Amino acid sequence: MPVPLIPSNLIPSPLVPPNPFAERFDALLDREVRPRFFKKMDFTAPAGDPGWFGPDSPVWHVHSHMPLMFFGLSCAAFMENLDPGIAWMGYDHSRIVERVDGVPTGRVDLEGAKVRFAHSLAFFTATAYGPTETAERAARAVRAMHHTIKGTRPDGVVYDADSPEWIRWNYATVVWGIGTAHERYHPKALKGADLDEYYRQFTRVGEALGGTDLPASKGEVLECLEAELPRLALTPIAAGRTWPLVGAHEPRSKQPLTWFVDWAQRDLLPEWAQRLYLYRRPNPVAVVARRQAVWALLNGLHATTGPMREFRQSEARAAAAPGPETVVALDEALRSALVPVPDAPMDRGEVEATF
């Protein structure tokens, strides 16, 4: 007689061997990230709150794979920097750019890059599967900071992070990056209508940041990106973040990995964007081998660390029976969404205090 299979969720936890790598990664987040960037975020309550999307949504499925999500965001940065206005916004305002006496040097500030990484992690975690109020607060904070990002390029052209055109372009690059990385490298990638549903659902994040008329499918996103081609360019800023310039100031021991990640990012771009970045595709055998290596690296990291603790907490929160406080919280969030309160500009310190 065959032995009946026991559902994995019914196996007592003592029978599951501890994962020292996952525990070490979680300890790193406890030490370096959560106290600074998640300090006002509670993913365990209110009970029954599904957040913006809910546990069965494509957004939860896509964003629960953290290594892939961040690889997609890095590819999105490649894409968005082809817009000269955005390239100069980042150069003038981003933490990633090293500054000496307030003057940008053009090099990467490693500590600033870590802070930017942590803020992105907090934002995309909160909006993807955090409780409703947490997602709303994160979006308000980022939107308020964008109110302060204004300036003039060296050629005299004015840029403004509140510009509807900028918001639409920035949104399209982000959802393209995450969605395309997921489609190519996720072991259980969404396809067809399911993938389009991810693009449709994610418009909620873009709209919360002030976006309007956002592309809501894979095809619409690709059309939106290519439509901007006449005003795109490979600026010195964008070129400086590609190999070999990006690895020029790194120790030799790190350069092979930097080169490989740079190749993987450019390889994900649409063909027209690859031409702007002077990407030359190697022979088909090399492409297949390198993509398999990227697949193994990203999914190996995810298999080693597992979903973030916040994701597991969100699963438990959404599955719990809602209490009266949940009804009140969701009602308040709904009313604030229907009648949005104008948000005042917030500087970086005020935004960081929000998280």
Side-chain angles (χ1 to χ4, degrees):
M1 175 180 291
V3 179
L5 295 177
I6 303 175
S8 60
N9 62 324
L10 298 181
I11 298 176
S13 57
L15 298 181
V16 180
N19 182 340
F21 297 102
E23 291 174 355
R24 184 175 299 179
F25 177 71
D26 211 41
L28 174 66
L29 293 181
D30 277 339
R31 184 174 63 252
E32 303 289 342
V33 176
R34 290 186 177 110
R36 292 179 61 188
F37 306 102
F38 285 72
K39 55 182 177 293
K40 292 188 178 181
M41 294 185 181
D42 180 7
F43 289 79
T44 65
D49 182 355
W52 278 358
F53 305 105
D56 295 325
S57 67
V59 171
W60 278 45
H61 177 63
V62 172
H63 287 244
S64 64
H65 195 308
M66 191 180 72
L68 259 179
M69 183 186 71
F70 268 97
F71 175 67
L73 287 172
S74 72
C75 296
F78 255 64
M79 178 72 82
E80 73 175 11
N81 273 315
L82 289 173
D83 181 307
I86 288 186
W88 284 105
M89 281 186 206
Y91 193 78
D92 291 340
H93 298 275
S94 174
R95 280 184 178 275
I96 296 176
V97 178
E98 180 189 70
R99 303 175 198 282
V100 176
D101 297 327
V103 179
T105 66
R107 294 188 294 269
V108 173
D109 182 329
L110 293 180
E111 180 59 29
K114 292 177 183 177
V115 172
R116 175 65 182 271
F117 171 90
H119 276 306
S120 295
L121 176 63
F123 176 77
F124 286 103
T125 299
T127 53
Y129 44 82
T132 303
E133 192 277 332
T134 295
E136 299 280 356
R137 188 173 73 248
R140 286 196 302 270
V142 171
R143 190 172 64 240
M145 186 178 71
H146 285 169
H147 296 336
T148 68
I149 301 177
K150 308 178 190 300
T152 304
R153 289 161 28 182
D155 57 0
V157 177
V158 174
Y159 61 75
D160 183 349
D162 284 328
S163 161
E165 293 80 12
W166 175 85
I167 295 174
R168 193 167 190 264
W169 166 259
N170 177 258
Y171 169 80
T173 63
V174 168
V175 72
W176 162 82
I178 299 174
T180 306
H182 167 86
E183 185 179 12
R184 178 173 292 180
Y185 291 117
H186 198 287
K188 296 181 180 179
L190 301 175
K191 302 290 184 182
D194 292 332
L195 183 62
D196 273 345
E197 179 63 11
Y198 167 73
Y199 282 92
R200 187 196 68 76
Q201 288 186 355
F202 200 72
T203 57
R204 180 163 186 175
V205 177
E207 289 167 353
L209 295 179
T212 57
D213 189 29
L214 300 176
S217 69
K218 175 184 173 181
E220 289 180 7
V221 166
L222 291 174
E223 289 175 4
C224 174
L225 295 174
E226 190 167 1
E228 298 300 311
L229 184 54
R231 66 184 185 89
L232 303 182
L234 183 63
T235 64
I237 299 168
R241 295 182 182 177
T242 60
W243 185 266
L245 294 178
V246 74
H249 303 286
E250 291 189 344
R252 285 185 176 272
S253 60
K254 293 183 178 180
Q255 289 183 2
L257 179 60
T258 301
W259 168 85
F260 184 63
V261 171
D262 175 84
W263 176 86
Q265 291 167 329
R266 283 195 264 189
D267 181 60
L268 199 75
L269 295 169
E271 185 177 348
W272 56 265
Q274 290 176 341
R275 290 198 298 269
L276 281 171
Y277 272 114
L278 306 180
Y279 171 84
R280 297 181 63 184
R281 179 172 293 185
N283 68 73
V285 175
V287 170
V288 171
R290 292 180 188 180
R291 288 181 180 177
Q292 287 179 336
V294 176
W295 192 98
L297 175 63
L298 294 171
N299 289 297
L301 284 171
H302 185 63
T304 299
T305 61
M308 288 180 62
R309 180 196 303 163
E310 285 75 10
F311 181 77
R312 299 192 299 271
Q313 291 173 338
S314 295
E315 288 184 310
R317 181 197 75 242
E325 71 283 356
T326 303
V327 176
V328 172
L330 293 178
D331 183 60
E332 290 178 350
L334 177 61
R335 281 189 280 108
S336 66
L338 292 175
V339 186
V341 178
D343 38 37
M346 296 171 63
D347 61 27
R348 180 176 286 128
E350 291 173 311
V351 169
E352 292 178 358
T354 299
F355 290 91

